[in-house]
């Protein structure tokens, strides 16, 4: 077994900060001078340097100086074949799909094009500090195959699956439920739980799925109950209206997926902007997750996700955050936190009573505020919990996979270092509070330029030049 040590300043989480309102530090863990011992990609020991080093004499140590080491970022909702259309102008969701996305995704039927696209996609993730993603591919099996193959070469953890759609898309883009079922069965057998690959049964969205396609998803889930289910839900007003036209026997968007027994643990519904209070409660009860994609929701004009409602302690919904590239216009989960903070602040204002006293709800208003604890938990341990992979990664507990990111707190904008000197007087953080304050500046003033190194299973796969 190859054993190495990583020495540096570490910050990770042991609990959900929304459970510790007024004392969010209780959710986190900080070692100014820490040591993580990694054996064959798995964390063997973690803690203060002096204590861990004494218990592991002779281990070869790599020291990462002047950085804050955090767990690898988890992107819970992203589209592999939309990498090249990132930043396409001027449309809301449904016309944007028709104009930009479907034509580009069709190119992923070509294996050479798909292979190049996958490499660019994973390169972009690593450069942004993202080590794990749950990804949509396309309606062609080729893109799913290439993603799993390249992810395996890099030893990255990926949740993905063939994307099913048989309605409301160009004729040459859609496929039949029979083909979707057959190809999904083959891909599950070939890739699910092979190395770090995990398979998600993936109906693109209910607006593009016939009852027959959803029945195929239901059959796949019953035959492969350990697979994930990944889809979209309640993203855009026109889409929400269209879903009930396509499925008139259902009362709301979530009800479509419930009808086909898809909602439960390992179910992720991307966006959830227009979920009702009742839908949130039903998702909470069933252990389903919603994925907050603020960059996309703002870029496509979809709306403001109710972060404070999703984190209601009486009906808490599991949650991860996602870029939703290419609806989201950046690969960076740090940029996701930037936009998520702003969405939360807008919702905070809507609920603090200053606009409409009748809507005043100070507890929900406060839950919309994205502190650095809430933010970085959401893209590390919280994201892992939302995807039901927190037994594998998300923090630095021994036994978990050693995926991590070394952040330069002085990266980003030219003024960043001067700002950070207000907190730590030109040095690195000396306490948890200083580290959190510096991470908040990374979240709001920085971006993926703050990502200095990205490590996967104890191996450095990205170093900023």
């Amino acid at each position: 077994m190859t054993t190495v040590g990583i020495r540096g300043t570490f910050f990770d989480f042991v609990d959900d900060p929304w459970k510790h309102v007024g004392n969010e530090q209780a959710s986190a863990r900080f070692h100014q001078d820490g040591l993580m011992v990694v054996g064959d990609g798995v964390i063997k020991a973690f803690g203060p340097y002096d204590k861990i080093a004494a218990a592991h004499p002779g281990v070869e140590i790599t020291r990462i100086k002047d950085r804050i080491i955090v767990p690898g970022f988890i992107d819970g909702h992203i589209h592999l074949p939309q990498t090249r259309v990132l930043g396409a102008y001027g449309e809301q969701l449904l016309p944007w799909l028709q104009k930009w996305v479907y034509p580009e995704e069709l190119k992923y039927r070509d294996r050479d094009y798909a292979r190049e696209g996958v490499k660019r996609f994973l390169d972009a993730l690593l450069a942004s500090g993202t080590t794990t993603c749950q990804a949509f591919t396309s309606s062609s099996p080729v893109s799913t195959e290439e993603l799993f193959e390249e992810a395996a070469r890099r030893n990255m953890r990926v949740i993905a699956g063939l994307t099913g759609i048989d309605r409301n898309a160009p004729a040459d883009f859609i496929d039949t439920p029979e083909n979707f079922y057959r190809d999904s069965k083959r891909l599950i057998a070939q890739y699910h739980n092979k190395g770090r690959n995990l398979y998600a049964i993936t109906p693109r969205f209910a607006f593009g799925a016939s009852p027959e396609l959803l029945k195929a998803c239901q059959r796949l889930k019953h035959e492969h109950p350990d697979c994930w289910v990944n889809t979209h839900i309640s993203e855009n007003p026109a889409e929400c209206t269209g879903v009930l036209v396509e499925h008139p026997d259902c009362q709301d968007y979530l009800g479509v997926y419930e009808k086909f027994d898809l909602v439960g643990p390992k179910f992720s519904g991307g966006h959830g902007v227009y979920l009702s209070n009742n839908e949130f409660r039903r998702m909470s009860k069933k252990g389903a997750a919603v994925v907050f994609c603020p960059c996309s929701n703002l870029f496509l004009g979809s709306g403001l996700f109710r972060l404070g409602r999703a984190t209601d302690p009486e009906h808490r919904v599991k949650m991860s955050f996602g870029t939703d590239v290419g609806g989201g216009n950046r690969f960076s989960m740090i940029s996701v936190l930037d936009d998520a903070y702003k969405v939360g602040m807008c919702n905070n204002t809507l609920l603090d009573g200053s606009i409409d006293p009748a809507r005043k709800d100070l507890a929900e208003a406060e839950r919309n505020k994205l502190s650095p604890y809430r933010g970085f938990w959401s893209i590390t341990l919280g994201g892992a919990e939302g995807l039901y992979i927190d037994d594998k990664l998300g923090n630095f507990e021994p036994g978990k996979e050693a995926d991590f990111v070394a952040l330069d707190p002085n990266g980003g904008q030219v003024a960043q270092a001067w700002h950070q000197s207000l907190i730590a007087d030109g040095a690195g953080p000396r306490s948890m509070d200083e580290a959190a304050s510096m991470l908040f500046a990374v979240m709001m003033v920085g971006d993926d330029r703050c990502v200095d190194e990205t490590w996967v299973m104890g191996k450095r796969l990205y170093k900023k030049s």
Side-chain angles (χ1 to χ4, degrees), residues 344-392:
M345 290 301 288
C346 288
N347 280 325
N348 175 268
T349 301
L350 291 171
L351 293 168
D352 69 6
S354 58
I355 296 175
D356 181 0
R359 294 185 61 189
K360 185 176 180 178
D361 185 331
L362 293 181
E364 183 174 340
E366 194 282 332
R367 292 194 301 269
N368 278 295
K369 292 183 176 180
L370 198 69
S371 69
Y373 294 96
R374 294 172 177 182
F376 278 91
W377 175 83
S378 296
I379 64 173
T380 57
L381 182 59
E385 290 180 2
L387 295 177
Y388 286 84
I389 52 175
D390 52 300
D391 60 323
K392 299 176 175 62

Side-chain angles (χ1 to χ4, degrees), residues 297-309:
N297 298 155
L298 296 174
F299 182 77
L300 295 175
S302 297
L304 304 177
F305 174 74
R306 297 189 297 156
L307 182 60
R309 175 55 53 181

Side-chain angles (χ1 to χ4, degrees), residues 266-287:
K266 297 186 179 181
F267 171 93
S268 289
H271 302 285
V273 175
Y274 296 99
L275 287 171
S276 66
N277 292 352
N278 183 263
E279 286 173 292
F280 273 126
R281 286 192 289 270
R282 283 148 51 201
M283 291 183 76
S284 172
K285 185 177 181 180
K286 293 184 178 181

Side-chain angles (χ1 to χ4, degrees), residues 48-372:
Y49 173 78
D50 291 343
K51 177 182 177 181
I52 302 301
H56 294 82
V59 67
E60 181 181 343
I61 293 175
T62 297
R63 187 164 190 178
I64 301 178
K65 296 182 178 181
D66 304 319
R67 302 291 182 259
I68 301 175
I69 302 171
V70 298
F73 301 149
I74 298 168
D75 190 331
H77 185 106
I78 190 168
H79 293 258
L80 153 67
Q82 295 178 20
T83 302
R84 201 173 184 182
V85 296
L86 181 147
Y89 169 74
E91 304 286 350
Q92 290 202 0
L93 174 65
L94 297 182
W96 176 80
L97 289 171
Q98 297 287 342
K99 181 177 180 179
W100 293 103
V101 170
Y102 295 147
E104 175 64 18
E105 291 195 10
L106 273 171
K107 299 174 185 176
Y108 279 73
R109 290 181 174 179
D110 179 84
R111 190 169 296 276
D112 290 338
Y113 192 91
R115 184 171 294 137
E116 179 183 3
V118 165
K119 289 178 180 178
R120 291 179 181 270
F121 172 77
L122 294 178
D123 285 348
L125 288 178
L126 290 169
S128 298
T130 299
T131 55
T132 295
C133 70
Q134 178 174 242
F136 291 81
T137 58
S138 75
S139 55
S140 168
V142 170
S143 61
T144 306
E145 294 164 0
E146 290 299 321
L147 176 58
F148 279 135
E149 294 288 345
E150 183 62 23
R153 282 189 281 271
R154 303 183 192 214
N155 211 15
M156 294 175 68
R157 184 166 288 285
V158 167
I159 305 171
L162 179 67
T163 302
I165 183 168
D166 67 344
R167 284 184 175 182
N168 294 314
D172 55 352
F173 186 82
I174 62 175
D175 202 357
T176 66
E178 294 77 18
N179 286 344
F180 172 77
Y181 173 81
R182 180 201 64 217
D183 291 335
S184 296
K185 287 284 287 186
R186 175 180 62 81
L187 292 166
I188 290 169
Q190 188 170 352
Y191 294 109
H192 183 50
N193 277 323
K194 301 302 192 314
R196 300 185 80 194
N197 291 328
L198 299 171
Y199 198 89
I201 301 158
T202 310
R204 188 179 195 116
F205 56 173
F207 182 65
S210 68
E212 291 72 26
L213 180 63
L214 291 169
K215 286 177 184 176
C217 294
Q218 180 181 28
R219 183 179 175 190
L220 288 166
K221 181 62 176 173
H222 287 176
E223 293 170 351
H224 304 279
D226 63 331
C227 280
W228 278 248
V229 177
N230 183 29
T231 190
H232 295 78
I233 190 167
S234 299
E235 178 179 359
N236 174 276
E239 171 216 12
C240 294
T241 300
V243 163
L244 297 184
V245 172
E246 296 290 344
H247 300 275
D249 57 332
C250 297
Q251 296 299 309
D252 54 34
Y253 207 132
L254 182 66
V256 178
Y257 299 127
E258 288 174 324
K259 178 181 176 181
F260 296 96
D261 198 25
L262 298 176
V263 182
K266 297 186 179 181
F267 171 93
S268 289
H271 302 285
V273 175
Y274 296 99
L275 287 171
S276 66
N277 292 352
N278 183 263
E279 286 173 292
F280 273 126
R281 286 192 289 270
R282 283 148 51 201
M283 291 183 76
S284 172
K285 185 177 181 180
K286 293 184 178 181
V290 65
V291 189
F292 181 20
C293 303
C295 299
S296 173
N297 298 155
L298 296 174
F299 182 77
L300 295 175
S302 297
L304 304 177
F305 174 74
R306 297 189 297 156
L307 182 60
R309 175 55 53 181
T311 52
D312 177 359
E314 293 186 10
H315 306 284
R316 183 60 189 273
V317 178
K318 287 186 176 292
M319 180 172 56
S320 60
F321 284 22
T323 59
D324 193 35
V325 165
N329 55 328
R330 289 161 289 182
F331 271 87
S332 171
M333 293 303 294
I334 295 172
S335 295
V336 167
L337 295 184
D338 176 9
D339 280 350
Y341 174 86
K342 295 166 184 173
V343 168
M345 290 301 288
C346 288
N347 280 325
N348 175 268
T349 301
L350 291 171
L351 293 168
D352 69 6
S354 58
I355 296 175
D356 181 0
R359 294 185 61 189
K360 185 176 180 178
D361 185 331
L362 293 181
E364 183 174 340
E366 194 282 332
R367 292 194 301 269
N368 278 295
K369 292 183 176 180
L370 198 69
S371 69

Side-chain angles (χ1 to χ4, degrees), residues 413-439:
Q413 299 183 38
V414 172
Q416 180 90 332
W418 198 34
H419 166 80
Q420 298 287 33
S421 69
L422 285 171
I423 300 165
D425 196 24
R430 292 157 293 203
S431 67
M432 182 183 293
D433 283 345
E434 285 188 356
S437 294
M438 296 184 86
L439 287 172

